[in-house]
Amino acid sequence: MKAVLSQNGQISVADIPAPVLEDGFVLVETEYSAISPGTEIMMNGTHRQKPIVLGYSAAGVIRSRGKGMEHWPEGQRVACYGAPYAKHAEWLLMPQHLMVPVPEHVSPEEASTVGLGAIAVHAVRQADLQFGETLVLIGAGILGQLIAQIARAAGCRVIVYDLLAERCRTAGSLGIRHIAVNPQRVSQHLDSLTAGMGADAVIICAGGKSGGLVDQGLQWVRNQGKVLLVGDVKPDFSRELMFGKEAQVLISRAGGPGRYDPVYEKQGIDYPYGYVRWTEGRNMAEYIRLISEGDIQVKPLISSVFPLERSADAFRQYAESPAKLLGAVLAYPITGVQDAEHAAAIVKEGQGG
């Protein structure tokens, strides 16, 4: 099968072995996969000599089921999250907790962003915002845009801050009432919305190696508020600022409880609902529900759809002109193959797959 590989800082589409169906897994034929610009550009930039397959968020159709997965019907469209299972590849071998059903009226392009969506949902949960509280969101890339919409849907007042005016305009067109292209405007919004008390939380989705973004967040947050790191931010900050407000500086890891736990992900053993209310799988399902019921809009965030063979062009645009590409997904040709062994044979013969 074909997959997107990174090697020595270069992106290519190459043939790799197709997955073999196992008990406790299903075989998914990929329709679309979403590029995570922050994570994947960073991974490609490390110039690994050994090739790695990129990607962690996709949507496709179940074609075959292993033992124990009979409750997942063949032909069901699913949204898939989590490397090494979800990836930029034509076929995915998925365990049950890393995929969720997609309603017919939700497009596969939107559903393919489920990984970004689960990360956004988990970030809002980590910030522990309550109805009516105020959030400052620093960085309005696709992840920041999703976080802003999810927080607004939860009844929070959201201020989006980005130096790129176009991204602020996008946020405004999606229902975010308070936008800012400079720090002074953020302060003005906070004075108006909180009577100068400050934000209940600041979520940082922008990347930065200077550490200044965390200090900026600490200046905007209220006493005993939170600054949450989601982007690739250097965690340097002023102890004085933090101490003066008894603020918390937190980090949000991926899509929620269960991520990177092989017992949950590979073995398919769920966490008890009453003790871990929001696992990564349940966060994925909630994201798809938000799209399905119209509480958030994803299509306006997808700037371009690239055919799989043009993957390198998508990564090049992200690296060279990130301001012009908010969200990008890769499209795959669908063969309609129903049987996993037949699919593997087709790939081996080089006829498709």
Side-chain angles (χ1 to χ4, degrees), residues 211 214-216 218-219 221 235-249:
V214 182
D215 281 352
Q216 181 66 86
L218 288 169
Q219 291 173 4
V221 81
D236 285 348
F237 51 87
S238 165
R239 181 187 182 280
E240 182 179 356
L241 282 173
M242 185 180 184
F243 179 83
K245 294 185 176 180
E246 200 175 12
Q248 298 180 59
V249 176

Side-chain angles (χ1 to χ4, degrees), residues 185-215:
R185 186 59 178 147
V186 176
S187 297
Q188 291 171 0
H189 283 309
L190 287 173
D191 286 344
S192 174
L193 295 175
T194 73
M197 294 296 182
D200 297 282
V202 174
I203 296 180
I204 303 176
C205 285
K209 299 300 183 182
S210 67
L213 286 175
V214 182
D215 281 352

Side-chain angles (χ1 to χ4, degrees), residues 258-278:
R259 188 68 184 112
Y260 310 117
D261 179 358
V263 174
Y264 175 87
E265 294 188 335
K266 185 175 183 179
Q267 298 179 32
I269 299 176
D270 200 0
Y271 299 152
Y273 190 92
Y275 291 91
V276 185
R277 176 63 180 88
W278 293 107

Side-chain angles (χ1 to χ4, degrees), residues 119 123 126 143 147 202-206 211 213-215 217 226-237 248-254:
I119 292 168
Q126 287 293 87
L143 183 58
I147 291 173
V202 174
I203 296 180
I204 303 176
C205 285
L213 286 175
V214 182
D215 281 352
K226 303 178 184 69
V227 176
L228 184 71
L229 312 184
V230 178
D232 183 17
V233 181
K234 188 175 182 179
D236 285 348
F237 51 87
Q248 298 180 59
V249 176
L250 308 169
I251 196 162
S252 181
R253 185 179 72 174

Side-chain angles (χ1 to χ4, degrees), residues 42-161:
M42 178 271 293
M43 292 180 67
N44 185 51
T46 57
H47 290 209
R48 293 175 173 85
Q49 293 186 351
K50 184 178 179 180
I52 59 169
V53 180
L54 296 176
Y56 62 75
S57 184
V61 178
I62 294 175
R63 297 304 186 194
S64 300
R65 304 168 295 177
K67 184 178 179 180
M69 298 294 281
E70 292 82 5
H71 56 292
W72 289 94
E74 292 182 1
Q76 170 70 59
R77 174 173 288 135
V78 289
C80 307
Y81 165 49
Y85 307 102
K87 62 189 79 172
H88 299 309
E90 291 180 300
W91 292 91
L92 309 174
L93 187 67
M94 297 302 304
Q96 66 174 355
H97 290 150
L98 296 185
M99 60 181 181
V100 293
V102 177
E104 289 186 3
H105 63 280
V106 175
S107 72
E109 297 98 316
E110 294 173 289
S112 74
T113 65
V114 68
L116 292 163
I119 292 168
V121 169
H122 183 56
V124 174
R125 298 197 194 287
Q126 287 293 87
D128 195 26
L129 290 161
Q130 303 296 317
F131 178 86
E133 292 189 333
T134 301
L135 166 68
V136 172
L137 192 288
I138 302 177
I142 185 169
L143 183 58
Q145 299 277 357
L146 291 173
I147 291 173
Q149 289 193 66
I150 291 166
R152 178 183 59 82
C156 298
R157 297 182 294 183
V158 181
I159 303 168
V160 167
Y161 165 48

